[in-house]
Amino acid sequence: MPEPVSFSDPSLSVARDTLIRRGLRLSQLRLLVALRDTGQVSGAAAQVGMTQPAASRLLAELERTVEARLYDRHARGVTLTTAGHTLADRAEAMLHGLDDAHHQIAALSSGARGTVRIGSVTGPAVELVLPVIRELRVTYPDIELSVHIDTSDKLSDALTAGDLDFFIGRVPEGMDPHAITLEEVGPEPVSLVVRLEHPLSRKAQPAIADCLAYDWVMQPKNGLLRRTAEAYLLRNGYTLPERILSTSSMLLTLAIICETNAIAPIARSAANFYAGAEAFGGRIRQLNVAEDLSVVPYSLIYLRSVEASPAVTRVLTLIRRKINEKTIEGAFGA
C-alpha cells in the first residue's frame, strides 16, 4: 500500500508552479484566450494590442513552455487543440479571478466593501445605528456589519480588546482617556413604559408616586440607567420602588412589560420605537411622567492608536451625518 504524501512535501510546491518557473506570462494567457475567441492570430493580436509577429512569437514560446501543441492552422485561421482549449479555459477563469480581486481591492480601498464592528448602548442603537444600517443595505450592500448592544463598560472592554471598531456610549471608570478619541453626541432622555392596558394608562396625568406602587424592571445594580432613575427619584423626594426585577436584557424587559403591570425606564428613542404600532404589536406605551429624566451625554468613542479602515470611515461618516441631522432637529435632549 503506497505511503500517504505529506502536504509539506517540497515536490508538491514545485509541481504547483512549474509553468511559472518555466516563464509563463499573463500576456501569453490573454493572447491564448483571444485566439480561442477569434480563431485568428491577427485577430487575437489586435484584441490584446500587439502586432501579429509578436503574437506568433509569444504563442510559440507558450507551446515550448507547456510542451504541447496548442493550436492547428487551417485555411480560415486556427483551431485550438484539446490542450489549447484546456489551457485557455483555465486561463480565462484565472484572468476573471484576477479581475474580481481587483474589483474587491478597489471596493475595500474606497470603503464600499469591508467589515465594520459597531458597539452601542440601547438608545443610540435605535436612533443612530438602525437608520445607518437601513441606508447601507441600499447604498453599500457589500459592507458587512456587526452590532453589539451592551452597557458602556462592556463595550469599552470590547473596544480595548480589538473586538469593536468603535462604540456609541460613555467612558466608564478605569478606561484610559488618553487612549481614545471621544466625540460627544448628546444626552439620552429616558421614558417610563408600561403595557398598553396598564391601570395608569387610564390616568390623564399620572404622577411618579402612582408608579411606585407597581413592580419596576431595571438594569442590575450599578447600571447607569438604574443609577440615573434611582437618583432622580431620591432627588425629587420619592422613595425607591419596593419591588425591582433586575435584568440587562431589553427583550426580557419588554416581555415582562407586555405581560404584567410592571414599569420600566428605558431610553426614550427605544421607547418611541417599541411603542410604535409595528413593534410588539403596539402593546407598549410611554407614561406622561418624569419628562426631564435623562442619562448623562453619550459619545462616539474609538481608539487613537487604530487607523480606521475605509469601510469604518464610511460608516462613521454616515453616523456623524445622522448626529448632525438630529442636532439640527433638536432631537437630542428633547
Side-chain angles (χ1 to χ4, degrees):
M1 186 172 182
E3 295 184 2
V5 178
S6 169
F7 284 105
S8 61
D9 188 338
S11 65
L12 291 180
S13 62
V14 173
R16 280 198 296 266
D17 59 6
T18 298
L19 293 180
I20 299 298
R21 289 172 179 266
R22 290 180 180 176
L24 180 70
R25 287 175 280 171
L26 289 178
S27 57
Q28 293 171 320
L29 298 181
R30 291 179 60 232
L31 181 61
L32 183 63
V33 173
L35 186 64
R36 182 201 62 187
D37 294 342
T38 64
Q40 294 181 332
V41 176
S42 59
Q47 191 173 102
V48 300
M50 66 176 61
T51 64
Q52 183 171 338
S56 297
R57 186 173 62 254
L58 277 182
L59 290 171
E61 292 173 356
L62 179 59
E63 287 185 322
R64 287 194 295 272
T65 298
V66 302
E67 298 178 341
R69 193 176 76 256
L70 298 177
Y71 63 96
D72 294 319
R73 294 182 181 274
H74 53 76
R76 295 187 301 274
V78 298
T79 302
L80 295 193
T81 63
T82 301
H85 275 291
T86 298
L87 184 57
D89 290 345
R90 291 296 185 92
E92 183 177 47
M94 186 187 72
L95 293 170
H96 284 165
L98 290 174
D99 285 340
D100 289 341
H102 173 259
H103 294 322
Q104 291 180 24
I105 292 170
L108 287 169
S109 299
S110 68
R113 176 188 291 269
T115 300
V116 181
R117 303 160 303 167
I118 306 171
S120 181
V121 294
T122 304
V126 175
E127 200 165 29
L128 299 175
V129 178
L130 181 57
V132 167
I133 290 175
R134 289 172 178 158
E135 183 172 341
L136 286 171
R137 290 307 88 199
V138 176
T139 56
Y140 296 99
D142 289 330
I143 293 181
E144 181 181 343
L145 295 172
S146 66
V147 182
H148 181 51
I149 309 299
D150 215 320
T151 55
S152 291
D153 57 333
K154 300 290 182 59
L155 296 174
S156 169
D157 290 342
L159 179 70
T160 304
D163 296 328
L164 294 176
D165 294 304
F166 62 89
F167 76 89
I168 309 173
R170 299 163 184 87
V171 180
E173 292 183 11
M175 189 175 194
D176 182 5
H178 299 291
I180 60 174
T181 297
L182 182 148
E183 301 174 23
E184 186 171 298
V185 178
E188 188 174 18
V190 176
S191 291
L192 301 184
V193 298
V194 296
R195 66 183 178 89
L196 189 61
E197 301 300 329
H198 193 280
L200 289 180
S201 65
R202 293 190 288 270
K203 284 194 171 187
Q205 189 65 46
I208 293 180
D210 299 325
C211 300
L212 299 178
Y214 297 92
D215 294 349
W216 282 46
V217 185
M218 293 200 286
Q219 288 179 337
K221 288 184 177 180
N222 295 323
L224 177 61
L225 182 55
R226 177 165 177 170
R227 296 201 318 268
T228 298
E230 291 178 341
Y232 180 89
L233 292 173
L234 295 173
R235 188 168 61 249
N236 286 278
Y238 299 101
T239 60
L240 300 182
E242 291 186 6
R243 296 177 300 277
I244 298 176
L245 172 63
S246 299
T247 177
S248 60
S249 169
M250 176 62 73
L251 180 60
L252 181 58
T253 297
L254 294 170
I256 293 171
I257 293 302
C258 288
E259 299 298 328
T260 71
N261 284 335
I263 296 171
I266 66 174
R268 187 166 301 165
S269 53
N272 291 335
F273 176 78
Y274 292 125
E278 296 180 0
F280 284 84
R283 296 172 58 193
I284 294 172
R285 62 165 295 172
Q286 301 177 63
L287 292 176
N288 185 24
V289 63
E291 296 292 329
D292 56 341
L293 175 59
S294 67
V295 183
V296 295
Y298 58 88
S299 303
L300 191 58
I301 302 170
Y302 45 92
L303 295 176
R304 290 182 184 273
S305 59
V306 178
E307 183 177 355
S309 70
V312 171
T313 299
R314 186 176 294 280
V315 174
L316 281 170
T317 298
L318 291 176
I319 289 178
R320 291 185 183 108
R321 185 185 304 163
K322 295 297 178 185
I323 292 171
N324 290 336
E325 291 173 358
K326 291 189 173 296
T327 301
I328 292 173
E329 294 170 1
F332 294 125

